[in-house]
Amino acid sequence: MPPLSTETLAPDEGGIARAAALLEGGGLVALPTETVYGLGADARNGLAVARIFEAKGRPRFNPLIVHVASIQAAQRYVEWPEQADVLAGAFWPGPLTLVLPLRADAGLSPLVTAGLDTLAIRVPAHPLARRLLEVFGGPVAAPSANPSGRISPTTAAHVLAGLSGRIDAVLDGGPCPVGVESTIVGLSPRPALLRPGGLPSEAIEAALGEALAAHEDGAAPTAPGQLASHYAPNAGMRLNAETPREGEAFLGFGPGACDLNLSESGDLTEAAANLFGHLHQLDASGAKAIAVAPIPDRGLGRAINDRLRRAAAPRT
Ligand code: TXA
Ligand code: MG
């Protein structure tokens, strides 16, 4: 495909209208969500969805998350068990994706679900994403707006650094407040954590009144967020480092000397919001290796450690 000239759209009604028109025409628009920037396309338009995979350089078709404006809109595409009501009622709009049985009359491109009979769906909380979904009025399929396998984008500048010339536009909503992708929960045969993310699993278990099953390998489709090597910077990564070695840039957590700190006060929410931006920044500094301080494995720390392990995994 010839290079596109990627438009940067302002976070106002004019920008929203342009973004909606591009989506209606089968275009690709990167949009801010509370978690990370998504690369959006009309989920009913197979050609538009195929362009997502082309732009990201995804090696194969993996199922995508569909974004809608409300619970009522979600119910047009998926079966709706009682536990969906409990979780959506408690946490939507917000950083929770539910995997539910796809309705036979959903009318989505089969590329969105990679041919599965389930659909991952969420109502994002970011005001610009919500407004765009309202004005567009349809379902938007959106993976994170980064080239496949690279660090997820939390600013419009990150999106442009990876995808300029490959997408129609980016709606610039500034930095994403949560900073890691949504938590993904499947509900059948019983509630299971498919990916830790921006909503702590402890909160989900409290709302359900039961423990989430761990994700069984092979129980869900292999998708990029579940591949061992993902979110990878150019630099090598070393985790749980108390101090840096010669030549390593040090990504800190809590008080102490370092090159960049995820959170000086040891706050996991702040650390999640800073994670991808700090990795982008250390990578851009040309560091050959990045050492990362230990992060507590609770609350948002579980999502942070999940992403760090994948960033550090041997590259395939
Ligand atoms: O926060 C987020 O979730 C961001 C923003 C843009 O909404 N999106 C995102 O999408 O992280 P992506 O494509 O990078 O990750 C989608 C993940 C896949 O890794 C896959 O594990 C899961 O969603 N997924 C999608 N459909 C599924 C299905 N039917 N069953 C199980 N997992 C599914
Ligand atoms: Mg992703």
Side-chain angles (χ1 to χ4, degrees):
M1 216 173 57
L4 300 164
S5 83
T6 301
E7 300 172 37
T8 298
L9 304 176
D12 56 24
E13 280 300 310
I16 299 268
R18 176 72 183 143
L22 286 167
L23 289 175
E24 272 152 31
L28 298 185
V29 177
L31 65 147
T33 80
E34 73 279 26
T35 59
V36 301
Y37 276 72
L39 181 56
D42 183 343
R44 300 161 298 196
N45 180 335
L47 262 179
V49 176
R51 290 186 59 212
I52 291 180
F53 294 99
E54 189 186 10
K56 283 181 63 93
R58 260 196 189 178
R60 49 175 190 266
F61 294 148
N62 292 295
L64 304 175
I65 297 172
V66 165
H67 300 68
V68 291
S70 65
I71 292 180
Q72 290 70 25
Q75 289 169 338
R76 293 176 50 187
Y77 306 108
V78 286
E79 310 283 347
W80 199 255
E82 201 186 317
Q83 283 177 319
D85 237 20
V86 172
L87 293 182
F91 301 117
W92 281 3
L96 171 68
T97 294
L98 295 176
V99 172
L100 294 165
L102 179 68
R103 277 178 59 156
D105 61 352
L108 302 181
S109 160
L111 273 182
V112 170
T113 53
L116 298 169
D117 55 8
T118 54
L119 176 69
I121 194 161
R122 79 181 189 99
V123 176
H126 196 290
L128 287 171
R130 299 192 69 192
R131 184 74 189 131
L132 177 55
L133 289 167
E134 260 170 45
V135 171
F136 174 59
V140 172
S144 50
N146 51 294
S148 188
R150 311 303 306 199
I151 305 167
S152 295
T154 53
T155 65
H158 296 158
V159 174
L160 289 170
L163 296 176
S164 183
R166 305 177 68 85
I167 64 175
D168 294 285
V170 56
L171 181 60
D172 189 351
C176 301
V178 175
V180 291
E181 292 85 347
S182 61
T183 303
I184 305 181
V185 168
L187 288 179
S188 66
R190 49 165 299 210
L193 181 66
L194 303 183
R195 176 178 75 181
L199 180 66
S201 53
E202 293 91 333
I204 299 169
E205 293 179 330
L208 284 173
E210 69 177 290
L212 289 167
H215 168 242
E216 304 269 326
D217 276 348
T222 306
Q226 295 167 354
L227 294 179
S229 172
H230 197 60
Y231 311 100
N234 291 313
M237 303 266 300
R238 189 167 67 86
L239 307 186
N240 297 312
E242 296 293 347
T243 51
R245 295 178 187 149
E246 182 78 32
E248 285 179 334
F250 190 43
L251 181 59
F253 177 81
C258 58
D259 294 285
L260 276 180
N261 204 323
L262 289 169
S263 170
E264 261 182 59
S265 65
D267 176 56
L268 289 167
T269 304
E270 183 185 18
N274 283 331
L275 177 66
F276 291 134
H278 281 11
L279 288 177
H280 276 285
Q281 210 176 313
L282 289 175
D283 220 22
S285 76
K288 291 279 172 292
I290 301 172
V292 188
I295 313 289
D297 207 40
R298 59 179 156 73
L300 286 178
R302 292 181 67 183
I304 296 171
N305 283 320
D306 173 80
R307 304 305 186 271
L308 284 171
R309 276 193 297 275
R310 291 175 208 279
R315 315 289 159 82
T316 44

